[in-house]
Amino acid sequence: MIKRKKASFPKPLAEFVGAAVDPVLAKQGFGQSSLILHWDDIVGKRLAECCEPIKLQWPPRPRERAPDAAVEPATLVLRVIGAMALEVQHMAPQILERVNAHLGWRAVGRLAIRQGPLERAAGPTLVAPPDPEAVAEASRATEGIDDDGLRKALILLGARAMRGRAGGV
């Protein structure tokens, strides 16, 4: 009998993000990364553009707590763009409802708002085109490559690497 090898397919990077990020987020009070990773889906695109979760603050647990005592809900600390703080404050009940629905239980009981700029990137950064001299030099270095797509990619990479070597960005 011939044993067949199981086909192995590459896993998407998204499958590894949660496990890699969870320990870091746990220090901020988040039990799992889904609240951060799916923030746009939880509160909607419009609100996600003006606020982001910073941390979950859990109340201190008494040492001699009864096992059947209810767990006190946490406070979700949000960083909000200054102009939108009042609107986010008015929408607090809806935000709490959506967050708790996502988590599956009444984990969050109140919001705390911290005004300030959001920490995530605003958008793609623009990269200046490579220097024409560097493109010409990279073209000469890749003359032996037959595949046009590969050659163009190597020319661009080489030109940008040469620009960095020459003291540019």
Side-chain angles (χ1 to χ4, degrees):
M1 183 192 285
I2 299 173
K3 288 186 179 180
R4 289 187 183 184
K5 287 187 177 181
K6 285 187 176 180
S8 65
F9 297 101
K11 292 184 179 181
L13 185 59
E15 288 186 22
F16 298 105
V17 170
V21 174
D22 281 344
V24 175
L25 293 178
K27 292 180 183 177
Q28 298 299 319
F30 296 104
Q32 57 187 9
S33 60
S34 70
L35 191 62
I36 301 290
L37 296 176
H38 301 291
W39 184 246
D40 295 355
D41 298 330
I42 295 168
V43 297
K45 188 171 185 87
R46 185 173 155 266
L47 269 178
E49 289 175 354
C50 66
C51 66
E52 64 187 1
I54 300 173
K55 65 181 172 179
L56 273 176
Q57 288 180 328
W58 293 94
R61 291 186 182 179
R63 289 187 181 259
E64 315 230 339
R65 187 177 74 116
D68 58 341
V71 177
E72 289 188 47
T75 299
L76 177 61
V77 181
L78 294 179
R79 178 173 289 118
V80 181
I81 295 172
M84 295 296 292
L86 187 60
E87 185 169 346
V88 170
Q89 183 178 359
H90 286 296
M91 295 190 69
Q94 291 88 3
I95 294 171
L96 291 173
E97 184 179 329
R98 291 175 184 179
V99 168
N100 287 329
H102 173 77
L103 295 174
W105 64 292
R106 190 174 172 270
V108 181
R110 62 183 288 264
L111 289 182
I113 296 174
R114 306 289 184 262
Q115 291 183 351
L118 302 184
E119 290 186 358
R120 58 185 144 166
T125 57
L126 300 176
V127 178
D131 182 43
E133 293 174 13
V135 171
E137 186 178 343
S139 295
R140 286 190 296 274
T142 58
E143 285 177 354
I145 298 174
D146 295 331
D147 185 358
D148 287 336
L150 177 60
R151 186 167 190 261
K152 287 178 185 177
L154 288 174
I155 289 171
L156 184 60
L157 176 65
R160 293 213 169 124
M162 288 177 208
R163 180 180 64 188
R165 184 182 65 202
V169 177

